[in-house]
Amino acid sequence: MPIDRDQLKLLYEERNISQKLWTTEWALDLWNKYDALKSGDTIVDLGCGERFALAMSLEPTINYIGLDVNSDSVEESSKRYPQHRWIHADVRNEMYNPTGLLDPETFNFPIEDKVADLVICASLFTHLETLEVAKNYLQEIQRIIKPGGHLWISWFRSPPNEVCSDAKRTVYTEAEIINMISGWLNLKFTTAGMNENYHNQWVMLGQVQ
Ligand SMILES: C[S@@+](CC[C@H](N)C(=O)[O-])C[C@H]1O[C@@H](n2cnc3c(N)ncnc32)[C@H](O)[C@@H]1O
């Protein structure tokens, strides 16, 4: 995928998010390597923030859909990147949207079935609080992803961490995570998350079977 890395670096500097540059480039390289993203594809970025939207503004063939519970961030991004589709989901999250009206355990993404070639959940399941929310989000992901589509997802797992349903740093057991993805996601790549360092997440790229 032809994203100009010099331009990406400059834009990240301009937006003051240079600290996210290397993990973004790392993800782009892995998606290339594992054929998870091709020109003309549709990305759904859940808990999107800004960084992949900015990267995809350099690849105009990509159809990018960003969803987040943070209304300010979605509003600002929709002005900055009007070529993308933006969804503000007023879903409750103790850290990011404590007064949200919608229940995350039953929330249905306002996104059509089988549209996504790649679903991104970067540092999202690390804030989802309960196992029921994670299960609901994974069910919705299975609904919106195309057969053969890819999922990029990161977790805090136990061990090595203590199980925790705090939105600041949600941890599920390794067995729970494996149970939630087994039978429908074929893992192509996983790395890290083996120690308790605060930001050390178990990162996965899988393909829907
Ligand atoms: C740590 S940030 C990650 C942002 C972005 N994915 C990245 O990697 O730079 C977590 C994001 O998830 C969003 N978020 C929190 N709970 C959410 C939920 N239940 N549904 C969707 N997004 C949520 C937050 O508003 C925030 O933008």
Side-chain angles (χ1 to χ4, degrees):
M1 257 221 331
I3 288 182
D4 183 314
R5 298 305 171 92
D6 293 332
Q7 224 184 332
L8 187 67
K9 183 167 184 277
L10 273 179
L11 289 175
Y12 268 51
E13 278 165 11
E14 257 175 50
R15 293 292 304 132
N16 211 15
I17 53 171
S18 295
Q19 80 282 6
K20 294 198 169 185
L21 181 65
W22 86 261
T23 49
T24 302
E25 293 197 289
W26 175 68
L28 291 173
D29 289 340
L30 284 166
W31 300 342
N32 259 335
K33 178 174 174 184
Y34 290 99
D35 245 353
L37 185 65
K38 298 177 282 304
S39 298
D41 278 357
T42 295
I43 292 178
V44 174
D45 190 355
L46 301 169
C48 55
E50 179 181 356
R51 67 182 172 126
F52 290 116
L54 194 162
M56 293 309 147
S57 70
L58 297 176
E59 220 304 44
T61 74
I62 296 292
N63 178 31
Y64 176 93
I65 303 169
L67 177 150
D68 206 290
V69 299
N70 182 327
S71 58
D72 291 344
S73 149
V74 169
E75 194 185 334
E76 198 190 313
S77 295
S78 65
K79 289 184 188 137
R80 198 176 296 282
Y81 312 102
Q83 70 274 40
H84 299 330
R85 177 173 156 197
W86 293 99
I87 300 170
H88 171 237
D90 192 19
V91 172
R92 223 164 19 258
N93 178 274
E94 199 50 44
M95 179 175 177
Y96 289 98
N97 193 25
T99 58
L101 293 178
L102 302 172
D103 180 352
E105 293 184 6
T106 53
F107 172 59
N108 297 122
F109 305 158
I111 296 173
E112 305 74 25
D113 296 356
K114 297 187 174 52
V115 289
D117 297 284
L118 173 65
V119 174
I120 303 172
C121 300
S123 305
L124 171 66
F125 280 68
T126 49
H127 300 284
L128 286 189
E129 305 172 272
T130 68
L131 196 59
E132 285 66 33
V133 180
K135 283 181 181 164
N136 179 45
Y137 270 53
L138 287 171
Q139 203 172 318
E140 281 292 282
I141 288 166
Q142 288 178 77
R143 180 180 64 73
I144 64 165
I145 205 163
K146 288 180 186 170
H150 288 80
L151 173 63
W152 176 255
I153 188 164
S154 62
W155 311 84
F156 291 122
R157 68 174 155 194
S158 171
N161 301 284
E162 289 289 319
V163 170
C164 179
S165 48
D166 194 314
K168 287 198 200 90
R169 196 175 186 280
T170 303
V171 180
Y172 304 116
T173 71
E174 188 178 64
E176 285 164 346
I177 294 170
I178 291 170
N179 285 337
M180 284 190 286
I181 59 172
S182 65
W184 63 275
L185 196 67
N186 180 30
L187 290 183
K188 287 181 156 180
F189 169 87
T190 87
T191 190
M194 300 292 280
N195 64 49
E196 292 169 273
N197 288 352
Y198 197 79
H199 295 292
N200 187 10
Q201 300 180 23
W202 189 15
V203 180
M204 303 174 166
L205 177 69
Q207 186 170 26
V208 171
Q209 291 172 359

